[in-house]
Amino acid sequence: MAYLGWGPGTMVLVASWCLTLNTMWQMIQLHECIPGTRFDRYIDLGRHAFGEKLGPWIVLPQQLIVQVGCDIVYMVTGGKCLKKFMEIACTSCKPIKLSYWMVMFGGIHFFLAQLPNFNSVAGVSLAAAVMSISYVFHCLFISWVGCLSHGRAADVTYGYKQSSPAGSMFRVFNALGQSSFAFAGHAVLLEIQATIPSTPERPSTVPMWKGVMVAYFVKALCYFPVAMMGYWAFGQAVQDNVLLDLQRPAWLIASANLMVVVNVIGSYQVYAMPVFDMLERMMVKKWNFSQGLPLRLVVRSAYVAFTLFVGVTFPFFGDLLGFFGGFGFAPTSFFLPSIMWLILKKPKRFSPKWFVNWVSIVIGVFVMLASTIGGFRNIITDSSDYKFYT
């Protein structure tokens, strides 16, 4: 909102919500597009749509970028929110470097990553879901009560952030990527749908679509008030994470930050589990490693260490959102589902479905190119005057 303004910012949020909800519906329908066959992974659907050889090369890199990118962002988010929580809860405590808080947050995942599969993290997911539901109300409460109690900053301005013409353009590109990052879950959608029983009388598409509708309604309740009220209160000076701007009421802001931490603990594992599965299958198939705890310990610990290292090195929340939003989320959420729908369902040319899919493809390709360039440039710019590991 700070770089797009009221009109374009609101329009981008609404368009992203609508287009990604449509592509989410398409993927749910394609999960069982052949009677008796379920495409339980994004890569399986990609093979069916693009062919055995081409499919993995198109789908797998994008899916990995999304999953790894999310986990890196969650490392940054968890560390920052832990730091903020302690600063509010213990005002007399000696400040600790952000990098230390991120290491503490990452340490939790060295343990949780050893749980074998999705079913094993059900307890973690349940706790994260409870925190998510609580956070929904906190988001609404924070956005309305927190921002209203703070009031508009004395020098608030809603003009576009002052920067060079090139700087402003790249920041706008980055904002588009942040929006595409917000409304996405397509990379793990089929893996989640695969856990739902399916029969000819009651296919998995029915409960999955109901769940997605609830999730998207909740997303709208969270993101739109936070974006609008955060921008109203702080204008162009609002931070990437509005929780870091708010200071009162202290108990509310502190509890909200703690709930975010629990939320992203579960979310990290949801995005990491498919990566673990792929890496371990590759190690067993190509290098004849044996399945078991030793392989799991090495592979998963190495992955957690990698995401932690990147997050600690580049803790630029907004820039990472924009970069990964364009590089990974725009393809998997906007145009790959639409391309697969056109290939497999073959809607009539110039029909409404054909037109909507092509609009989604064109917008998705533009967002991918623009926000990837914008996010990458902003990471380099922000790194130039940042003291690493502080």
Side-chain angles (χ1 to χ4, degrees):
M1 292 295 289
Y3 282 102
L4 295 175
W6 283 115
T10 305
M11 183 179 68
V12 167
L13 281 173
V14 172
S16 295
W17 189 89
C18 294
L19 289 174
T20 55
L21 179 60
N22 175 62
T23 53
M24 189 79 78
W25 176 83
Q26 290 176 330
M27 290 198 66
I28 292 172
Q29 302 304 314
L30 292 175
H31 177 71
E32 296 181 80
C33 59
I34 297 179
T37 301
R38 300 182 71 178
F39 299 106
D40 291 342
R41 296 182 177 88
Y42 207 128
I43 190 172
D44 297 334
L45 184 59
R47 284 195 185 99
H48 178 60
F50 300 113
E52 285 291 328
K53 291 185 177 180
L54 188 59
W57 288 101
I58 294 176
V59 171
L60 186 58
Q62 302 299 332
Q63 189 178 16
L64 281 175
I65 290 167
V66 168
Q67 291 162 342
V68 177
C70 267
D71 285 340
I72 292 171
V73 170
Y74 290 149
M75 281 289 184
V76 176
T77 306
K80 284 190 173 184
C81 288
L82 263 180
K83 184 175 185 290
K84 183 69 173 181
F85 169 76
M86 284 305 299
E87 287 175 350
I88 296 175
C90 184
T91 55
S92 61
C93 294
K94 183 180 179 180
I96 301 177
K97 293 180 180 180
L98 172 61
S99 55
Y100 292 172
W101 288 111
M102 292 176 64
V103 169
M104 293 180 204
F105 179 80
I108 299 171
H109 294 289
F110 281 104
F111 167 72
L112 292 178
Q114 307 312 316
L115 299 174
N117 50 43
F118 267 124
N119 292 329
S120 302
V121 297
V124 178
S125 297
L126 177 60
V130 171
M131 290 300 101
S132 297
I133 293 170
S134 301
Y135 185 53
V136 168
F137 297 104
H138 269 71
C139 276
L140 295 171
F141 204 47
I142 288 165
S143 61
W144 292 99
V145 178
C147 291
L148 283 173
S149 65
H150 176 278
R152 286 196 294 181
D155 55 347
V156 67
T157 174
Y158 302 113
Y160 294 106
K161 284 196 173 185
Q162 296 300 315
S163 180
S164 65
S168 297
M169 179 183 70
F170 284 120
R171 295 290 176 181
V172 167
F173 287 170
N174 192 63
L176 297 176
Q178 291 186 28
S179 180
S180 66
F181 192 105
F183 301 109
H186 302 62
V188 293
L189 176 74
L190 297 180
E191 284 85 350
I192 295 172
Q193 190 171 351
T195 66
I196 300 175
S198 183
T199 64
E201 296 77 24
R202 185 172 173 79
S204 62
T205 55
V206 176
M208 191 66 189
W209 176 239
K210 289 180 180 178
V212 166
M213 285 296 293
V214 172
Y216 260 66
F217 176 71
V218 169
K219 278 189 175 186
L221 283 180
C222 284
Y223 291 158
F224 283 86
V226 169
M228 303 298 178
M229 294 304 297
Y231 187 55
W232 171 82
F234 300 101
Q236 64 175 220
V238 67
Q239 292 193 55
D240 312 15
N241 184 348
V242 72
L243 291 178
L244 303 182
D245 274 320
L246 294 169
Q247 300 294 334
R248 63 178 191 272
W251 66 269
L252 176 65
I253 309 305
S255 61
N257 276 280
L258 188 59
M259 288 182 178
V260 172
V261 172
V262 179
N263 186 328
V264 295
I265 286 174
S267 300
Y268 182 100
Q269 293 301 315
V270 168
Y271 278 95
M273 279 294 171
V275 182
F276 296 156
D277 179 59
M278 185 208 70
L279 291 175
E280 288 168 12
R281 282 189 293 110
M282 182 182 69
M283 297 287 282
V284 170
K285 185 177 180 180
K286 290 192 174 183
W287 291 292
N288 298 319
F289 281 82
S290 299
Q291 285 279 12
L293 182 59
L295 176 63
R296 200 160 64 231
L297 188 63
V298 172
V299 169
R300 300 186 180 197
S301 297
Y303 175 82
V304 173
F306 170 75
T307 56
L308 175 60
F309 171 74
V310 177
V312 170
T313 306
F314 303 104
F316 312 123
F317 181 69
D319 298 343
L320 290 172
L321 285 184
F323 177 74
F324 287 120
F327 202 34
F329 280 86
T332 56
S333 302
F334 282 85
F335 64 83
L336 280 182
S338 294
I339 292 173
M340 289 190 287
W341 184 269
L342 292 174
I343 292 173
L344 297 174
K345 292 297 185 179
K346 297 179 173 58
K348 186 178 179 181
R349 198 172 186 183
F350 301 117
S351 65
K353 287 185 178 180
W354 182 92
F355 179 76
V356 168
N357 277 287
W358 274 106
V359 168
S360 185
I361 291 169
V362 171
I363 292 176
V365 171
F366 173 76
V367 171
M368 179 189 70
L369 296 174
S371 59
T372 300
I373 294 170
F376 186 65
R377 183 261 185 190
N378 293 338
I379 290 173
I380 294 174
T381 302
D382 292 342
S383 299
S384 63
D385 57 358
Y386 175 74
K387 293 183 178 179
F388 289 96
Y389 309 115
T390 57

